[in-house]
Amino acid sequence: MSIEVKVPVLGESISEATIGEWLKKPGDAVAADEAIASLETDKVAVEVPAPSAGVMGQQMYAAGDTVQVGALLAMIEAAGSAAAASPPATPAPAPAAAPAPAPAAAKADPAPAPSVSSGEPVSLSPAVRRLVLEHGLDPTGIRGTGKDGRLTKEDVLAAAESAKAAPAPAAAPAPVAASAPTASGAAGRETERVRMTRIRQTIAKRLKSAQDTAAMLTTFNDVDMTAVIEARNKYKDLFEKKHGIRLGFMGFFAKAACLALKDVPSVNAQIEGDEIVYHNYADISVAVSAPNGLVVPVIRNAETLSFAGIEKTIADFGKRAKDGTLKMDEMMGGTFTISNGGVFGSLMSTPIINPSQSAVLGLHRIDQRPVVMPNGEIKARPMMYLALSYDHRLIDGREAVTFLVRIKEAIEDPTRLLIDL
């Protein structure tokens, strides 16, 4: 009996996907709910599970093909019909003459064991693929310890450590006549051509579309982080003990943004045709890194959440973004975006608006800088640059500056977050 595997529903407005890789080959045993393929959509990589146990049968598409939602993807054969899923054997030649006996020596030689570096394609999860590329390793030369011999992150990290620890082979002394390399044989000029993933293609199109559509402008301010750092240092242990999550800076900025969005509602609005749509809620998109690029999951109704609720949501998004398990609907919508480039060491940037939103707040690294205090004294203070990129078609310069000032006031005096001021 054959069971059809179809492309699952991938989320609202998502009608197609690209086959990133097949995790099972025809003839492989498959357990119920085991992933057999990875699909790349515009936002995330989605694994397709087997509907029942059996043997991997015919695959209707190859890796890299585009498939529609609901299309027949593959067949799962019942375990008893494994022979049907196996590639057909080469037919034996007609018995024209008796074959010559094989040499005795050839009989004695056992069949060689398959090599881990045989050059066969290796199925890699997105996280493993990223590690392989980062360390410049050949995945076919790494022995996998995962299910069905698949590579795990630990396998790749162990191989990377082994490569570092292995002594470099001693170079044979080159003849004097050949010591000068020719231009065509110069080392270090290799190139590699890698196909863009569907997610990366979509990121490129959306960001370019934002530049082409919005009248984008960026305004800057800086903020003294002293009060937030002191509050965090004072309460972080009690906070973690009570809520089971660390108190970070993003909770403060998310709450400050909610207050500022109330005061300047145009920053939380968007243009649809010839109308402006205002939102009386704050669905804050938070940019986080994933193996295949930047993803922007949404904190729904952030204005109603506590500090702990915001920090838990962000931590969960970050973990699942690295594991590739974010759901499609978790990245849909959003009325305003916060992007924290400071975690990577960014001093200043002009972030690009996330369509179809109208503004994005960019956070940057904290540096000790000299600041003139109100009494004229100069002190070293932990300062951060803030950047607000906005659509000037909807948001005036006065409103953009006012929004950043509200953020600055709330961060420099966190009590405002408690009394809604």
Side-chain angles (χ1 to χ4, degrees), residues 118-134:
S118 60
E120 292 290 327
V122 178
S123 295
L124 305 177
S125 68
V128 171
R129 185 187 299 114
R130 175 174 58 83
L131 285 175
V132 167
L133 293 175
E134 285 180 357

Side-chain angles (χ1 to χ4, degrees), residues 119-285:
E120 292 290 327
V122 178
S123 295
L124 305 177
S125 68
V128 171
R129 185 187 299 114
R130 175 174 58 83
L131 285 175
V132 167
L133 293 175
E134 285 180 357
H135 293 285
L137 299 174
D138 177 9
T140 62
I142 306 173
R143 187 176 299 277
T145 61
K147 189 171 184 179
D148 298 327
R150 292 180 64 187
L151 293 184
T152 65
K153 291 190 288 185
E154 290 72 18
D155 296 333
V156 178
L157 293 174
E161 290 298 323
S162 298
K164 291 179 183 178
V176 175
S179 59
T182 63
S184 60
R189 292 179 57 81
E190 296 83 0
T191 59
E192 182 181 7
R193 192 177 295 270
V194 179
R195 180 174 178 172
M196 291 176 70
T197 65
R198 187 181 185 90
I199 296 175
R200 176 52 60 185
Q201 293 178 44
T202 302
I203 291 173
K205 290 177 183 177
R206 285 174 60 84
L207 294 183
K208 184 57 182 172
S209 173
Q211 286 185 319
D212 293 340
T213 302
M216 196 149 48
L217 186 63
T218 304
T219 187
F220 299 93
N221 211 322
D222 61 359
V223 58
D224 187 341
M225 297 291 292
T226 300
V228 166
I229 291 175
E230 289 177 350
R232 182 171 178 266
N233 290 339
K234 183 176 182 180
Y235 297 110
K236 64 180 181 180
D237 292 336
L238 290 173
F239 187 89
E240 185 170 4
K241 183 178 180 181
K242 179 176 180 178
H243 300 291
I245 190 71
R246 295 180 60 188
L247 177 61
F249 294 127
M250 281 295 290
F252 288 93
F253 279 102
K255 297 296 287 185
C258 291
L259 288 181
L261 292 172
K262 288 182 181 179
D263 288 349
V264 191
S266 61
V267 179
N268 200 39
Q270 63 188 60
I271 294 177
E272 288 187 3
D274 57 357
E275 296 180 332
I276 299 175
V277 180
Y278 291 94
H279 305 99
N280 63 356
Y281 54 87
D283 282 356
I284 297 183
S285 305

